[in-house]
Amino acid sequence: MALRDWITRLRGKEEPVAPEAAPEGVREVAPEGLPPVQPEGRHAGVMTPPVGSAAPQEASGTEAASPLAPPISSPSLTDRIEADRGAPPPPPAPEPSPEPPQAAVAVDDAEVTSEPEQKGGWFSRLKAGLSRTTAKLTESITAVFKKRRLDDEALEELEETLISADLGVAASRRIVEGFRRTRFGKEVTDEEVKAALAEALAEILGPVALPMPIQPAHAPHVVLVVGVNGTGKTTTIAKLGQQYRAEGLRCAFVAGDTFRAAAVEQLQIWGERTGARVHAPAKHGADAAGLAFDALTTARTDGTQVLLVDTAGRLHNKSALMEELRKIVRVIRRVDPTAPHSVLLTLDATTGQNALQQVKVFKEMVDVSGLAVTKLDGSAKGGVVVALAQEFGLPVHFVGVGERATDLRPFEARDFARGLVGLD
């Protein structure tokens, strides 16, 4: 029977009929007892291996040959198979290139991260951290001011833009009134507005950009760290402890968040890293005021210069929990009537205008002496720092724009103002 008829029967899925004679040069099918050799090539549903590559082998080790031939216009399948068998073996696969070195895992982070530290200094990190706030603010300014006269309508739009960026009503009105006095009726560009805005912001922020003074003469200087849940109190203590230790000050931590085991454990880990003593509760839920009393008593005799006291996070609208803070203050004053020497309120920038209410209540309860604004890098509400400065005039001691210990820095008004509007 002709080979072409045999191919036609295969395509019609008829029962294959053995050819009268195997084509010349093609081996016989597999010996009896083994599964029949399937024809290779496109007719068997398998892609034909390209010329120059090794032909696949059956699991049994028997080399398969196909009685089929491709169209006349192409070399015969038998010739291609034979050419493959006679071809030299393919070259070995190249050795895989080595993996690029991984970034070193930072050991000075509040939460260890493998991300490399950003280059370009603190201002670059601050500007990058404020980028979400900057984008929200500058996009609106650019949309409003395109070589436009600064009239009443433009000033009204500017005020709305500033309020929406969480600068607060009072600060926004102050800035707009300043523009009205100095630039009203003039044609301005968006870049000129940004530069003038940075100057106005720095004027508001300048008086509150004050460092938190540490006076080792108090032996020790007691810093009570307070704030609502999740604002970063424990992390802030760890970062400050590392910075003070780097300055040569002898520090100790008080794990006063006695109901949260993770907070106690975190301070203990940081105590091991920095060599700081950690005063931890003997049992879960121990009295925080009693723990602070014992820690201060010990610190006055062992040479501790800075005592950082953690406290449990509490909602500012829960009077019973807030009263516990007053108890801590009363108890430690039995040891040192001037303590605490600093009351640092940590604020999460992502809360926006709600931070104003937190400051109001905590200030009434424990006489807050300064602020630390954290998580500016995860917020589009960094303008709240301006609102806080305008509303309360409390010193802003620190701002945080990342997880590394070096990402909590003393607050600088000019850098913050220029970073907020995207200027170098």
Side-chain angles (χ1 to χ4, degrees):
M1 180 184 295
L3 179 60
R4 195 172 300 279
D5 293 339
W6 192 82
I7 295 173
T8 302
R9 287 173 177 265
L10 272 179
R11 290 176 174 171
K13 299 183 179 180
E14 297 180 6
E15 290 294 327
V17 179
E20 295 176 359
E24 184 179 353
V26 180
R27 290 183 176 85
E28 297 294 332
V29 295
E32 185 177 357
L34 293 178
V37 179
Q38 296 294 331
E40 295 180 345
R42 59 189 178 88
H43 300 291
V46 180
M47 294 297 294
T48 304
V51 176
S53 64
Q57 303 294 324
E58 293 290 336
S60 63
T62 305
E63 295 183 353
S66 172
L68 305 180
I72 297 174
S73 59
S74 307
S76 69
L77 182 59
T78 301
D79 292 340
R80 295 173 66 185
I81 294 174
E82 292 300 329
D84 290 346
R85 288 173 179 158
E95 292 292 330
S97 58
E99 293 281 345
Q102 298 293 325
V105 175
V107 296
D108 61 340
D109 300 353
E111 294 179 6
V112 178
T113 173
S114 59
E115 295 180 2
E117 187 171 358
Q118 292 177 318
K119 298 180 180 180
W122 164 245
F123 180 72
S124 296
R125 295 203 297 276
L126 175 64
K127 187 176 177 181
L130 291 171
S131 60
R132 295 178 65 181
T133 303
T134 301
K136 182 177 180 180
L137 183 60
T138 58
E139 285 174 8
S140 298
I141 291 176
T142 302
V144 173
F145 299 98
K146 281 291 186 181
K147 212 160 181 64
R148 174 181 177 180
R149 189 173 298 278
L150 198 63
D151 53 16
D152 286 327
E153 182 181 356
L155 288 173
E156 184 177 346
E157 291 184 42
L158 176 61
E159 183 175 356
E160 291 175 358
T161 295
L162 298 178
I163 292 174
S164 68
D166 282 280
L167 273 71
V169 174
S172 298
R173 286 179 178 172
R174 173 177 171 177
I175 293 170
V176 168
E177 288 305 313
F179 274 46
R180 189 185 300 278
R181 289 193 304 270
T182 60
R183 292 174 173 81
F184 187 77
K186 296 180 181 179
E187 192 173 79
V188 294
T189 65
D190 56 334
E191 291 302 319
E192 290 173 337
V193 171
K194 291 177 186 177
L197 180 58
E199 293 178 5
L201 292 173
E203 183 180 340
I204 295 173
L205 296 171
V208 303
L210 301 172
M212 184 172 73
I214 297 297
Q215 301 173 10
H218 285 302
H221 184 105
V222 180
V223 181
L224 183 67
V225 183
V226 300
V228 303
N229 299 298
T231 56
K233 296 182 301 301
T234 306
T235 300
T236 297
I237 287 174
K239 291 177 180 179
L240 290 177
Q242 177 154 316
Q243 292 179 22
Y244 291 145
R245 289 286 295 175
E247 295 171 8
L249 297 175
R250 185 173 181 180
C251 297
F253 303 148
V254 181
D257 192 353
T258 60
F259 285 92
R260 193 164 67 94
V264 175
E265 183 180 358
Q266 185 178 359
L267 282 184
Q268 289 174 329
I269 292 172
W270 273 91
E272 294 174 0
R273 290 182 181 180
T274 62
R277 180 171 182 174
V278 179
H279 300 272
K283 62 180 181 178
H284 178 75
D287 179 50
L291 177 65
F293 178 91
D294 294 339
L296 180 53
T297 301
T298 302
R300 296 188 69 179
T301 60
D302 68 2
T304 297
Q305 294 171 293
V306 183
L307 185 66
L308 295 157
V309 183
D310 195 9
T311 61
R314 61 201 74 228
L315 297 176
H316 53 283
N317 56 0
K318 300 294 183 182
S319 57
L321 294 176
M322 294 297 289
E323 186 59 35
E324 290 182 2
L325 283 179
R326 287 180 169 176
K327 179 182 177 182
I328 293 175
V329 173
R330 290 196 305 269
V331 169
I332 62 177
R333 282 179 176 170
R334 297 175 186 173
V335 182
D336 182 352
T338 64
H341 308 105
S342 299
V343 179
L344 184 66
L345 172 61
T346 61
L347 298 169
D348 182 344
T350 63
T351 61
Q353 293 297 301
N354 191 41
L356 300 174
Q357 183 64 18
Q358 294 176 26
V359 173
K360 181 179 179 181
V361 175
F362 275 95
K363 192 174 185 300
E364 292 173 354
M365 287 289 180
V366 287
D367 194 20
V368 172
S369 60
L371 309 175
V373 183
T374 65
K375 306 181 186 180
L376 283 168
D377 54 321
S379 172
K381 302 180 178 182
V384 71
V385 179
V386 181
L388 292 167
Q390 177 68 31
E391 185 76 17
F392 299 102
L394 281 171
V396 180
H397 295 315
F398 306 99
V399 289
V401 292
E403 295 298 340
R404 298 177 182 274
T406 55
D407 288 336
L408 181 75
R409 290 289 187 91
F411 179 63
E412 296 182 8
R414 183 180 180 276
D415 286 350
F416 189 88
R418 295 185 68 83
L420 197 64
V421 298
L423 297 178
D424 295 325

